[in-house]
Amino acid sequence: MYNSIKYFEEECIKRFEKLEDDFIKNPKKLAEYVLGLTEELHNLGLKMIQESLEEMNQMLRKSPKRLQHWVVESHDTKQLITSLGAVTFEKTLFTNKETGESEYLLDRIMGLEKHERITEDALARMLKESVQTSYRRGGEETSLTTDVKKQTVKNKIHALEFPKNKEKPEKKKEVEYLYIEADEDHASLQFREKKGDLIENENHRKNNCLITKLVYVHEGIENEAPQSKRHKLVNPYYFCGTSTKVFK
């Protein structure tokens, strides 16, 4: 952490003072003052993360316990995407003396999977946004400075595993009314399996129609909050599926 503290004392303080001085001279530029401080604090945070990671890696290299079983294979420069931004740092690849396997021990002690380059905080931002909007937006919101490809977001979501609840309730719930509602919508496909595979009929209509069907079961409607004018469904359960409209 020494270098980060030194950077703060030698660089950040002077820039903070300059930003404050400019703001005092022109109080209408509050937005510029806030944005300037945010940028400086952001850069400082990334430097602190980088230095902490490299210090931990250095501790592993010098560890007497590590020397008993692992030897240094190589030193590599890697990038890790955090919610604060992308951090580039140096980490060491070690080889086990007994098994011959190679591993970044820094990844092991941090609980990172092999080839993982997105931290849990960044992943949480990605998933929160993508389930509400789209894969593309989820990738954009993953980090403050670095976008993630929407295919990566899709892969992360599809790889999620949720525990199944195997416990059955002792007594089934009884309700006075149970509401069942259904709806559907139509979407136009750009392609089915690959671009250019849509077929036109004699009327020049393409078989690009996708029908999405939704059925939802609930116990009624209630206010979101005591004073709220917005409503929500009570204990809703959704069934959703798609079907393709094909013509001849």
Side-chain angles (χ1 to χ4, degrees):
M1 195 63 69
Y2 171 78
N3 290 331
S4 298
I5 296 174
K6 184 178 180 182
Y7 170 79
F8 176 79
E9 293 178 342
E10 296 180 355
E11 301 291 336
C12 292
I13 292 178
K14 291 187 296 184
R15 293 173 184 172
F16 289 159
E17 291 174 343
K18 176 67 167 54
L19 288 168
E20 184 186 39
D21 186 55
D22 291 343
F23 173 60
I24 291 174
K25 291 179 180 179
N26 192 345
K28 292 183 178 181
K29 292 188 175 182
L30 175 60
E32 287 86 342
Y33 181 46
V34 173
L35 292 174
L37 288 174
T38 301
E39 182 179 1
E40 292 300 328
L41 291 170
H42 176 253
N43 292 333
L44 175 62
L46 292 176
K47 287 184 178 293
M48 292 176 66
I49 296 172
Q50 176 191 6
E51 186 174 5
S52 296
L53 292 174
E54 292 183 343
E55 284 182 354
M56 291 171 64
N57 187 70
Q58 185 71 7
M59 291 170 59
L60 289 169
R61 289 171 55 186
K62 295 181 178 180
S63 168
K65 185 175 180 180
R66 191 275 307 167
L67 289 170
Q68 297 175 9
H69 305 284
W70 300 82
V71 296
V72 173
E73 180 70 25
S74 63
H75 304 292
D76 303 310
T77 300
K78 299 293 181 179
Q79 187 180 79
L80 197 60
I81 297 177
T82 74
S83 59
L84 193 61
V87 179
T88 302
F89 62 102
E90 182 183 273
K91 64 179 180 179
T92 303
L93 181 66
F94 298 94
T95 298
N96 189 285
K97 296 179 181 179
E98 289 80 22
T99 66
E101 67 171 322
S102 296
E103 186 176 356
Y104 293 103
L105 296 182
L106 181 61
D107 289 350
R108 176 190 286 189
I109 66 173
M110 291 195 299
L112 292 178
E113 297 291 336
K114 191 174 183 180
H115 304 305
E116 181 61 76
R117 66 187 191 95
I118 303 177
T119 60
E120 288 185 350
D121 54 302
L123 184 59
R125 286 174 58 98
M126 173 199 296
L127 298 178
K128 181 179 179 180
E129 181 63 33
S130 60
V131 297
Q132 295 180 3
T133 55
S134 65
Y135 293 156
R136 180 183 63 82
R137 285 287 299 159
E140 292 173 349
E141 293 298 317
T142 301
S143 173
L144 294 180
T145 62
T146 306
D147 290 350
V148 174
K149 295 180 179 179
K150 63 180 182 180
Q151 184 62 45
T152 301
V153 179
K154 179 180 178 180
N155 294 341
K156 289 290 185 183
I157 292 177
H158 287 199
L160 292 175
E161 295 183 0
F162 299 94
K164 296 181 179 180
N165 185 9
K166 297 182 179 181
E167 297 182 2
K168 294 183 178 181
E170 296 181 0
K171 183 179 179 181
K172 292 184 177 180
K173 183 178 180 180
E174 296 182 2
V175 294
E176 185 175 359
Y177 295 100
L178 190 63
Y179 301 87
I180 303 175
E181 302 184 54
D183 198 359
E184 70 177 30
D185 198 2
H186 297 253
S188 296
L189 300 175
Q190 294 183 348
F191 56 87
R192 294 187 179 278
E193 300 296 333
K194 59 182 180 179
K195 290 186 178 180
D197 65 353
L198 297 179
I199 303 174
E200 288 188 2
N201 65 3
E202 58 185 9
N203 296 320
H204 303 290
R205 293 176 57 196
K206 294 182 178 181
N207 62 334
N208 64 338
C209 183
L210 180 72
I211 302 175
T212 59
K213 297 184 178 182
L214 174 66
V215 176
Y216 47 103
V217 181
H218 59 92
E219 299 174 23
I221 300 174
E222 65 181 7
N223 292 340
E224 286 190 347
Q227 304 299 324
S228 175
K229 295 181 179 180
R230 296 173 61 90
H231 298 85
K232 66 177 182 179
L233 300 179
V234 179
N235 297 326
Y237 194 89
Y238 299 93
F239 303 86
C240 184
T242 59
S243 64
T244 305
K245 183 179 181 181
V246 181
F247 59 78
K248 296 182 180 180

